[in-house]
Amino acid sequence: MDVLINVFVALHIIGIASLLGGFLTQMKAMGAGTARFVPAMLHGALTMLVTGVALVGLNQADDQTVNNIKIGVKLALLVVILALVYVKRDEERVEKGAFAAVGGLTVANIFIATLGPETLPLRT
């Protein structure tokens, strides 16, 4: 079970890298007011959602304690990110505020995952 959990953790990290990488590549364009949500951002957020749900299920199936508050906050942030990226994915230009919100929420999600007394992101 540990191998499967670690595979999903790796896929989850790939998803966050895609979302954050897409944001970072558009930062210069954000300054110019021409930023847009690239497909990598949507795919990264969807990957995070699917792998995150799978990780919670796998950890619970392995009789591990899951920090439900932490997961709930991370899920809420991800739903907001997904909503913004999905709704505005076809726009040629995205407002600076909406684009910055996605970047800020993504970074917040990373800090929530990595900070705290837990040794693994999902376990208490």
Side-chain angles (χ1 to χ4, degrees):
M1 186 71 89
D2 285 339
V3 172
L4 189 58
I5 290 171
N6 287 333
V7 167
F8 276 95
V9 168
L11 292 172
H12 196 70
I13 292 170
I14 290 169
I16 195 82
S18 179
L19 177 59
L20 187 61
F23 172 78
L24 293 174
T25 60
Q26 293 287 308
M27 288 218 26
K28 186 175 182 180
M30 184 177 77
T34 59
R36 61 182 312 234
F37 292 129
V38 295
M41 295 174 75
L42 178 61
H43 298 153
L46 288 170
T47 299
M48 287 175 56
L49 178 64
V50 170
T51 57
V53 169
L55 281 167
V56 170
L58 288 170
N59 276 287
Q60 288 180 340
D62 197 27
D63 290 329
Q64 300 293 329
T65 306
V66 176
N67 186 338
N68 290 318
I69 295 172
K70 184 177 192 176
I71 298 306
V73 170
K74 286 177 56 56
L75 179 62
L77 293 178
L78 185 57
V79 166
V80 172
I81 291 168
L82 266 170
L84 284 169
V85 174
Y86 186 78
V87 168
K88 297 186 177 285
R89 72 187 185 281
D90 291 331
E91 293 184 13
E92 286 298 317
R93 294 182 180 174
V94 178
E95 303 84 26
K96 287 182 184 181
F99 196 79
V102 168
L105 292 173
T106 301
V107 171
N109 218 339
I110 293 169
F111 277 106
I112 291 168
T114 57
L115 297 179
E118 300 87 7
T119 57
L120 293 175
L122 296 176
R123 298 179 184 170
T124 57

